[in-house]
Structure formats: structure tokens, C-alpha cells
Amino acid sequence: MTTTTPRPIPDGVPERIRHYIGGELTDSADGAVFDVLDPVTNEVYVRAAAGKKADIYRAVAAARKAFTEGPWPKMLPRERSRVLNRVADVVESRDKRLAALESFDSGLPISQALGQARRAAENFRFFADLIVAQADDAYKVPGRQVNYVNRKPIGVAGLITPWNTPFMLESWKLAPALATGNTVVLKPAEFTPLSASLWAEIFEEAGLPPGVFNLVNGLGEDAGDALVKHPDVPLISFTGESSTGSLIFGNAAPFLKGLSMELGGKSPAIVFADADLETAIDATIFGVFSLNGERCTAGSRILVERAIYDEFVQRYAEQAKRVVVGDPSDPATEVGALVHPEHYDKVMKYIEIGKTEATLVAGGGRPDGFPTGNYVAPTVFADVKPDARIFQEEIFGPVVAITPFDSEQEALELANNTKYGLAAYVWTNDLKRAHNFAQSVEAGMVWLNSNNVRDLRTPFGGVKASGLGHEGGYRSIDFYTDQQAVHINLGEVHNPAFGKG
């Protein structure tokens, strides 16, 4: 297929994308806009309001007013839960429309975008249930003292989200922040503002009070920076690259803000000789090429025991060549177009670097039949040395590096030999080895003979340069609430009497 003409724009795309502040759609204070590109044609298909400091300040003021004067923080958990369940109902009822817009905006294959929309609904339903079931701690010393914990919403939460699977990742932050009674200002990624613009109508239909949810589009250095530095925003939850996370950490430090940051990754998948080889190949193919390779937990370094290395590389490369690249709107497509020409250029530069560092066994450039658009053929490098840039640096595209190892100790050293520590995948039929390796690998999450299926109750986050803090389940409740300890004497007050001689 050759894409040379503009694609039809899906139904539901607005004529322009605006901010949403205090329950109203609004333009930027200075009227500024930025272009949003179709990743298949790289043509401008809509323009979005470009928020700056003045717009962030308006949004924070609206969120602060809703927090201090509005009903949302004072509602019973069950009342907030009903609203969140209605949000989930609306998202589920519009899953196909959401998926179509997300796929068009981001280049994600439509079948995968549909799964992400449904996951977004589940995130809201999960936290709607969790906030009702939440039990506060109590500690008793019979006859002497009772101690209990109050959980209270903190205030205005600043949420900064990335361009990969944007709608689902926005839900991941919005659901717990709102469930716990906070108000929010969302700053979505500038590459993919379309699906974020749908939250306003979803929340209105679900009955969320005005001002509880606010959205400001814009560049990170403008809108994002102003949100991080605003003195009335005590919490920042950020998902994105590690270098941006470091900048946010520094800018938030003078205000002692609460921070939760899920950052970059270069996650290893370790395949031992006793693994089920076909299953391991299927899983590691999916683990790096799904979502166009634009996923933080991608297993982009595959470490393979030498006894099966040659067979693994041959079979892996052959299967990678059969991965279906196509128009994101085609249900048969397995890898679509990368999100933006800037990111496409970055990925292609890494592929050229890889050709000088390792052996190219599949892909290596633009796929046949796609002269335009941000298409990259699933690319496989073998015999990758641990000091190679494609081994050490996050590429965030459909590119994988395969490296052999001779011993379990060498595998562990290779797995831990990057600055990142988000996820790891271990494939072996030796149960003792699997558990011991998981304990030793430097990763916030480990999947044993499994591929990125996560229970929403478990913590999500990384170590080293891959993040700060964890969200998910009760960890999200902890992040978005203050925990106040209350102490009560039940017996005689133990009160040393100073000043009585």
C-alpha cells in the first residue's frame, strides 16, 4: 500500500482543540495555537490551543476554587464512586469512537487502540470500587489509647501525560486523583491532544462538578513548566522520558511538591535454554513491536542463552519480518505509524547507529510500499555488545537488540547494565532460578514466563532512571492523599508536669 493522499478524518474530530477550564471550553489567553499532525501523512489536520503560564494559572485557580468551595472533596466515597462508574460507562459506550480518534491521532493500530480505550474504562471502575472499600488504619492499646488515620485529599493535582497510549495513561492518573477527592489540571502531550479533548464531555455527562477537571494543552516548556512551578499545585504525577523527569524534579524541589514519575526504560527479556522457545519468541515479538514499540515497558533488549542463541535469532528475525505493517485504521495492522516525524527521525537515527554496532537481521528502515508517513519496519539487531548505544539507550520504537550470554551470572550482569530499571521479563522452566533472578534484577516490575499482564492492584513504577515512586492500587491512594494520625487517651493522661518543682 502507498499512502500519498490525505486520509479521511474520522467523525468526531473538532474543528479546533481548546482548553477546558472551570467547566468551559476556552482559547489561550494570547490566542496561540499549534499544529497537530496526522502521523500517516504528516499533514496538519487540526490546530490546538497553545497554553502558557496565564492559561495554567487560570486552570489552577478554577481547580483550587472547586477544591476549597465545591462539593467534590467533601462527598462521601460512595458518591464519588457513582460518578466514576458513570465515567466508565460513558467510556465503554464510546470505545470504538475513542479508539478511532486515538488511532488517527497517534498512529496506533486500531485493534490495540480499542484495547486501550477499554482499559481506560476499567481504570475508572477499579478506583470507583477501591475508594469505597478503602479502610483506614486503627491502632489500639486497650484501656490506654486509640490511634486512627484520616485520609484527606491534598488539593490540586498536576497531571502531565505522554503521547503513547495517551487516553489510557490519562485515565490511569485521573481516576485515582479524582477518586480521592482532589481536583486536577491535566497537561496532555502536544503530539496527541485529540483524545484528551474528549474528557470534558465525558466528565460533564457523568456529572463531575465544574472546575474539578481542567485541561490545558501546550508545549512542555510552556504549559508543563508553569504547572510544575505553580505554588498552588502540591502534587505532580508525570509519565515521560527520564531527562524531562530530572528537570521536573529540580523545578518542583523549591516547593517540596509530592512527585510520582514513571520514566524511561530499556527493559531486558532474559531467555534461558530451558524456556518454551516458541512461547518466548511470541512474547518477545509482541513485547517490543506492539504499540509500535512506543511503550515504556518494551522488552527492547533480549538476552538469550548461547545454547539456543542461533536458533532464537533465526526464528525471531523470520517472525519479525512477517509482522504486519499497515495503516493504523486497518484491523489487520500490527505495527502502524510512529507518532510524529520528530520521533520517526530519532528512531531512524538509532537504526543507522545500530548498523555500525551490530548485525542487522531484520528490517532496518522504511518498509516497502510506504514512501511517506512515519513507518518503520520491525527491526532486529543481533550480536549486540553491552556498550553499544542501541543496548544502552532508549529508542522507543520497533527496534530490538539481541545479545547472547553464557551463564546466569552473566545474564544478570547484562540485565542490570543500563541506567534504567523499569521492567524485566524472565523465560525459564526452572522455578527456583526464576524467583531468585527476579529478586536480583534491578527492575520495578518483573514478569516470569508472562508478558506484561498486570493486576491493577499491584504497584507500577521503576528504579534507577526509570522513575520515582509507585502508583497503582493502594499506592495511588497513598500518593493522592494526606494521612493524618489522630491519637486519643482512654485512661489517665501521662502528662509530665514541668515547672512544679
Side-chain angles (χ1 to χ4, degrees):
M1 183 189 98
T2 300
T3 303
T4 56
T5 58
R7 290 195 298 165
I9 296 178
D11 293 338
V13 175
E15 292 184 1
R16 56 185 172 141
I17 294 174
R18 308 172 77 190
H19 309 308
Y20 184 75
I21 298 174
E24 300 289 339
L25 293 172
T26 179
D27 295 320
S28 294
D30 63 359
V33 297
F34 63 90
D35 295 337
V36 185
L37 306 185
D38 170 1
V40 168
T41 66
N42 286 327
E43 296 292 329
V44 176
Y45 77 91
V46 73
R47 288 182 170 84
K52 298 185 176 67
K53 184 175 181 178
D55 306 294
I56 287 292
Y57 270 60
R58 280 195 296 149
V60 173
R64 183 65 188 165
K65 182 178 180 181
F67 184 77
T68 57
E69 301 177 18
W72 186 250
K74 305 175 185 67
M75 284 183 178
L76 294 174
R78 175 64 71 187
E79 294 173 320
R80 291 199 297 268
S81 174
R82 291 191 184 103
V83 175
L84 297 186
N85 271 310
R86 288 197 293 270
V87 171
D89 292 340
V90 175
V91 171
E92 285 178 346
S93 72
R94 300 178 187 174
D95 57 357
K96 291 182 175 58
R97 177 194 174 203
L98 287 165
L101 297 182
E102 182 94 313
S103 175
F104 186 86
D105 195 32
S106 68
L108 286 177
I110 185 67
S111 59
Q112 296 169 41
L114 184 60
Q116 297 296 315
R118 292 170 178 168
R119 182 71 162 191
E122 180 59 24
N123 284 333
F124 272 90
R125 212 170 296 288
F126 173 82
F127 283 103
D129 293 340
L130 190 63
I131 198 64
V132 174
Q134 171 70 44
D136 291 323
D137 296 324
Y139 309 92
K140 301 177 182 178
V141 181
R144 295 184 62 184
Q145 195 176 53
V146 171
N147 313 267
Y148 65 88
V149 176
N150 284 328
R151 285 186 180 271
K152 302 190 291 185
I154 296 175
V156 179
L159 311 179
I160 305 175
T161 52
W163 45 255
N164 61 316
T165 64
F167 190 78
M168 190 281 289
L169 289 175
E170 288 153 9
S171 75
W172 203 338
K173 299 179 186 299
L174 287 166
L178 296 175
T180 47
N182 298 282
T183 59
V184 303
V185 176
L186 170 66
K187 206 299 283 184
E190 55 265 31
F191 286 174
T192 53
L194 180 58
S195 60
S197 70
L198 304 177
W199 284 115
E201 64 182 60
I202 291 169
F203 286 134
E204 285 183 2
E205 188 169 330
L208 192 72
V212 174
F213 167 75
N214 303 273
L215 181 150
V216 178
N217 296 291
L219 305 183
E221 56 265 35
D222 295 327
D225 186 65
L227 184 59
V228 169
K229 293 177 178 176
H230 198 296
D232 289 338
V233 179
L235 292 174
I236 296 291
S237 177
F238 169 74
T239 299
E241 62 180 3
S242 300
S243 58
T244 306
S246 296
L247 186 63
I248 289 173
F249 190 96
N251 287 337
F255 305 96
L256 299 177
K257 294 176 186 274
L259 291 175
S260 176
M261 296 196 289
E262 190 260 290
L263 306 176
K266 192 71 176 176
S267 300
I270 302 95
V271 183
F272 287 95
D274 65 347
D276 181 325
L277 194 55
E278 183 172 2
T279 302
I281 289 172
D282 286 344
T284 50
I285 287 277
F286 179 83
V288 74
F289 298 133
S290 59
L291 305 180
N292 299 344
E294 299 165 325
R295 62 185 305 161
C296 53
T297 56
S300 55
R301 294 183 296 136
I302 305 177
L303 314 177
V304 183
E305 194 165 5
R306 196 174 298 275
I308 60 167
Y309 180 77
D310 290 341
E311 180 184 1
F312 183 95
V313 169
Q314 179 184 353
R315 291 174 60 178
Y316 192 97
E318 290 173 353
Q319 190 161 329
K321 293 173 184 176
R322 296 193 296 270
V323 172
V324 179
V325 179
D327 190 293
S329 64
D330 185 343
T333 292
E334 294 171 330
V335 171
L338 299 189
V339 66
H340 192 275
E342 288 181 15
H343 186 59
Y344 170 84
D345 289 343
K346 172 192 170 185
V347 172
M348 293 298 284
K349 286 177 182 177
Y350 270 109
I351 289 174
E352 293 307 309
I353 290 168
K355 291 175 182 178
T356 70
E357 295 181 323
T359 304
L360 178 68
V361 294
R366 182 181 288 280
D368 293 338
F370 294 87
T372 60
N374 305 320
Y375 290 102
V376 176
T379 297
V380 183
F381 289 102
D383 308 328
V384 181
K385 304 297 184 185
D387 61 349
R389 289 184 64 184
I390 61 169
F391 186 98
Q392 291 289 335
E393 299 175 21
E394 184 178 41
I395 300 173
F396 219 66
V399 183
V400 66
I402 308 179
T403 301
F405 66 85
D406 291 299
S407 68
E408 188 173 326
Q409 181 60 35
E410 184 185 9
L412 182 63
E413 291 172 359
L414 288 169
N416 291 340
N417 185 22
T418 72
K419 68 179 182 179
Y420 298 104
L422 187 58
Y425 307 85
V426 182
W427 293 90
T428 177
N429 282 321
D430 185 329
L431 185 62
K432 183 167 68 174
R433 170 197 281 158
H435 288 293
N436 287 334
F437 200 96
Q439 179 74 23
S440 299
V441 73
E442 295 169 352
M445 298 167 287
V446 183
W447 279 268
L448 305 179
N449 297 319
S450 175
N451 189 51
N452 219 320
V453 177
R454 190 180 72 87
D455 189 306
L456 289 176
R457 293 171 293 182
T458 60
F460 188 101
V463 298
K464 302 196 291 188
S466 287
L468 176 71
H470 290 79
E471 295 189 41
Y474 286 114
R475 282 80 177 177
S476 292
I477 303 297
D478 286 342
F479 177 69
Y480 289 106
T481 57
D482 278 328
Q483 299 175 53
Q484 178 190 62
V486 180
H487 309 276
I488 308 165
N489 280 317
L490 297 179
E492 183 179 351
V493 176
H494 177 66
N495 189 26
F498 282 22
K500 291 188 174 180

